[in-house]
Amino acid sequence: MGSRITKALGDGLFELRLKGAEGIARVFYCTLTGRRIVMLHSFVKKSRGIPPGELRIAVGRMKEVKNADT
């Protein structure tokens, strides 16, 4: 089974998976017009799955940046 570096989570939200000395880090990001990528939220993963609170933060920030971009 291969390891994915990025994953589409839906509605324009993506997850970037990074491995480092501290563990497995996750970065949520989205894209905007003009070929821009916005990093929304990052955290070091300590359990399986995406913690709901971390996802809520990313979705809220994505809504803010997409509203400001229009």
Side-chain angles (χ1 to χ4, degrees):
M1 185 164 136
S3 176
R4 277 184 276 172
I5 295 173
T6 62
K7 179 180 178 182
L9 299 176
D11 295 326
L13 183 65
F14 297 89
E15 176 187 38
L16 179 63
R17 299 173 57 182
L18 306 165
K19 290 184 181 182
E22 296 176 14
I24 300 171
R26 297 289 193 259
V27 178
F28 294 117
Y29 68 95
C30 67
T31 59
L32 299 176
T33 55
R35 298 176 61 180
R36 293 182 288 163
I37 297 172
V38 178
M39 302 299 173
L40 302 165
H41 182 59
S42 65
F43 64 99
V44 176
K45 189 170 176 179
K46 298 187 189 233
S47 63
R48 289 191 155 262
I50 300 171
E54 305 292 352
L55 186 57
R56 272 193 300 276
I57 292 169
V59 169
R61 289 180 181 168
M62 182 175 69
K63 288 177 183 176
E64 288 178 23
V65 298
K66 289 201 175 212
N67 286 337
D69 190 51
T70 57

